[in-house]
Amino acid sequence: MSPPFSASVHVREPDLGHTTTTKPTDDTRSTVIAAFRTVRAETEHRCASLCEEDQTVQSMPDASPAKWHRAHTTWFFEQFLLVPRLVDYRVFDERYAYLFNSYYVTAGARYARPQRGLLTRPNCAAINEYRRHVDAGVEQLIAHAADADLEEILHVLEIGLHHEQQHQELMLADILHAFAQNPLLPAYALDWQSANPQLGGDEFAELPPGIHSIGFADAGFCFDNEQPAHRVFLEPARIGRALVRNAQWLEFMAENGYTTPSLWLSDGWAVVEAGGWQAPGYWRKRDGCWFSMTLGGLQPIDPDAPVTHVSYYEADAFARWAGKHLPSEAEWEIAARTNLLDDAFGAVWQWTRSAYLPYPGYRPAPGALGEYNGKFMINQMVLRGSSHATPRGHARVSYRNFFYPSARWQFSGLRLIDYLN
Ligand SMILES: [Fe+2]
């Protein structure tokens, strides 16, 4: 099995920041085509070591097969860019919209998510062909679109590229979950490097209290949920420079963290009991020692590495046990903007105690793409930063990731905050 992307994930950085312009040039078009090819190639690179069976399996309703990710990201370009914009475009297969539409009600009926693993057909060869067909269409559109149309085309294209990058990380989280169900515990990449151990110490840094602005207010791309930028008020507090490490989590476990109901939210305790949780996701005890299933296979727990694959419920219980709190997303963002955080990006996503809600004045984009973020703003919690599986160039200080509080198959960890009041 060849290493799928240990080099490329940290090297390939598509230039997605300047794809829109009021006066398009040939340079603009070639830059955009290069960015498009880079992102599409990264998806294929991440799947290069996965056989057809690997790409077809769906290990739980929340996860999707790698083959489905590859097809769905392709459908996104076909549905939202080629069908409406490329004259004489021939849809690759009229049936695919039903199979590969995820949740866009506006775009029509769709196949049930929990059954995506039943799609042995179309096979990988057909999806390869689908990707090539759509790639050619997108490149034709970019190369030949009228100047007057290019700005809107590039806007949708840019969303499609960032969308595909999101799925690149999801693919790895999903295949890890699938491999973790396999008694053979296969490695996705034998040389996979999990989240790097932190270099910083355990100290807490004082947050600048008072009024600050959060949200995206720069030039370039952001998702609609990062806007409008707005003011927030921070109470005096000190935030952990470092991520919570496995050594600390082992202390929490040793002090009966998973069996002490008073540490847990009611919903969280119900999940702990129902799931029999005794440790983070993918942890297994062998001969008295803890191991974790990773993309590199089963590996001993590194006490210095950030804890990963914990749910919001676990992060919240840990914070309570530690006598501290999870930061709000505003506190996290201001801390990151003022360089107070070690490992803000590139190790693990960090749970915040903020519910995933619209920012003041938020409005979803018009049309089907307005379904991208806004309709999920209920019952989920925000994570900030990025993980070691996040494609390079995809993270931002204002980026808002979100998952249900019981989810722990993502590369999710935490840091703490302490208040001075
Ligand atoms: Fe999607």
Side-chain angles (χ1 to χ4, degrees):
M1 184 179 290
S2 61
F5 76 85
S6 55
S8 68
V9 73
H10 295 302
V11 173
R12 293 182 189 181
E13 183 161 6
D15 177 9
L16 303 179
H18 306 287
T19 54
T20 54
T21 172
T22 52
K23 186 164 177 51
T25 64
D26 286 348
D27 271 358
T28 304
R29 295 176 196 262
S30 54
T31 299
V32 170
I33 288 174
F36 177 73
R37 288 178 179 172
T38 301
V39 171
R40 298 285 281 171
E42 178 65 22
T43 303
E44 297 304 290
H45 199 56
R46 289 185 178 215
C47 290
S49 67
L50 301 180
C51 65
E52 188 139 350
E53 292 86 348
D54 294 336
Q55 288 202 38
T56 305
V57 71
Q58 179 178 27
S59 53
M60 66 167 170
D62 282 343
S64 296
K67 184 175 71 177
W68 187 92
H69 284 295
R70 293 174 59 229
H72 162 71
T73 49
T74 304
W75 167 82
F76 192 96
F77 288 112
E78 183 174 66
Q79 174 72 29
F80 298 122
L81 199 58
L82 298 182
V83 168
R85 294 285 182 176
L86 183 59
V87 177
D88 296 331
Y89 174 70
R90 175 181 63 82
V91 169
F92 181 78
D93 187 319
E94 297 284 353
R95 302 169 299 177
Y96 280 16
Y98 180 72
L99 298 181
F100 301 125
N101 177 359
S102 52
Y103 54 68
Y104 296 90
V105 177
T106 317
R110 68 223 70 86
Y111 186 63
R113 176 175 179 153
Q115 295 176 27
R116 289 172 184 166
L118 302 179
L119 297 174
T120 57
R121 310 294 176 91
N123 63 14
C124 285
I127 300 309
N128 294 344
E129 188 61 29
Y130 183 35
R131 286 182 69 88
R132 283 194 290 268
H133 177 85
V134 168
D135 286 351
V138 170
E139 293 198 17
Q140 186 187 344
L141 179 66
I142 297 167
H144 301 298
D147 285 356
D149 297 335
L150 200 57
E151 187 173 354
E152 179 57 27
I153 287 169
L154 296 190
H155 173 66
V156 176
L157 181 87
E158 196 166 36
I159 294 172
L161 292 177
H162 287 272
H163 169 253
E164 182 144 349
Q165 288 186 311
Q166 290 182 316
H167 278 273
Q168 288 167 358
E169 178 160 358
L170 290 171
M171 279 194 316
L172 296 193
D174 292 355
I175 200 66
L176 174 58
H177 188 271
F179 282 174
Q181 315 311 309
N182 186 329
L184 299 181
L185 300 173
Y188 164 76
L190 287 171
D191 65 345
W192 175 265
Q193 295 291 313
S194 291
N196 289 330
Q198 300 152 318
L199 299 176
D202 287 338
E203 72 269 25
F204 279 62
E206 208 154 308
L207 270 175
I211 297 172
H212 299 271
S213 182
I214 67 164
F216 187 85
D218 303 320
F221 178 84
C222 73
F223 285 114
D224 61 4
N225 61 6
E226 298 165 53
Q227 292 182 316
H230 61 283
R231 288 169 295 174
V232 295
F233 183 81
L234 301 194
E235 297 289 348
R238 300 185 312 145
I239 190 164
R241 283 191 182 277
L243 300 168
V244 169
R245 298 188 305 264
N246 286 327
Q248 296 166 281
W249 205 270
L250 287 164
E251 285 179 43
F252 169 67
M253 290 162 58
E255 292 194 10
N256 303 315
Y258 278 93
T259 53
T260 306
S262 58
L263 294 174
W264 294 80
L265 293 166
S266 175
D267 285 358
W269 184 247
V271 171
V272 166
E273 286 203 305
W277 287 0
Q278 301 175 7
Y282 305 138
W283 282 34
R284 292 149 196 239
K285 207 167 199 177
R286 297 278 170 91
D287 299 326
C289 296
W290 283 105
F291 290 74
S292 176
M293 181 58 181
T294 73
L295 288 166
L298 191 68
Q299 295 183 346
I301 293 295
D302 176 354
D304 292 328
V307 66
T308 313
H309 300 297
V310 291
S311 65
Y312 176 83
Y313 292 136
E314 290 163 287
D316 174 80
F318 179 92
R320 193 164 295 114
W321 168 79
K324 295 186 170 53
H325 307 269
L326 296 177
S328 70
E329 62 172 322
E331 290 160 345
W332 188 98
E333 184 169 329
I334 297 306
R337 286 185 185 278
T338 46
N339 295 317
L340 299 180
L341 307 182
D342 294 331
D343 297 320
F345 301 98
V348 292
W349 291 97
Q350 297 134 64
W351 286 108
T352 74
R353 69 167 193 278
S354 297
Y356 180 50
L357 293 171
Y359 282 167
Y362 167 79
R363 284 192 179 81
L369 287 176
E371 296 187 52
Y372 200 109
N373 282 308
K375 70 181 186 180
F376 299 109
M377 290 175 172
I378 188 70
N379 295 335
Q380 306 202 53
M381 302 301 288
V382 171
L383 301 97
R384 291 303 201 100
S386 66
S387 84
H388 57 295
T390 308
R392 180 127 185 176
H394 189 67
R396 282 182 297 282
V397 72
S398 58
Y399 196 104
R400 306 176 78 199
N401 201 353
F402 53 93
F403 279 94
Y404 289 103
S406 61
R408 60 179 194 168
W409 91 107
Q410 298 299 313
F411 303 96
S412 50
L414 69 151
R415 70 178 70 239
L416 299 174
I417 195 168
D418 201 8
Y419 293 95
L420 304 178
N421 54 15

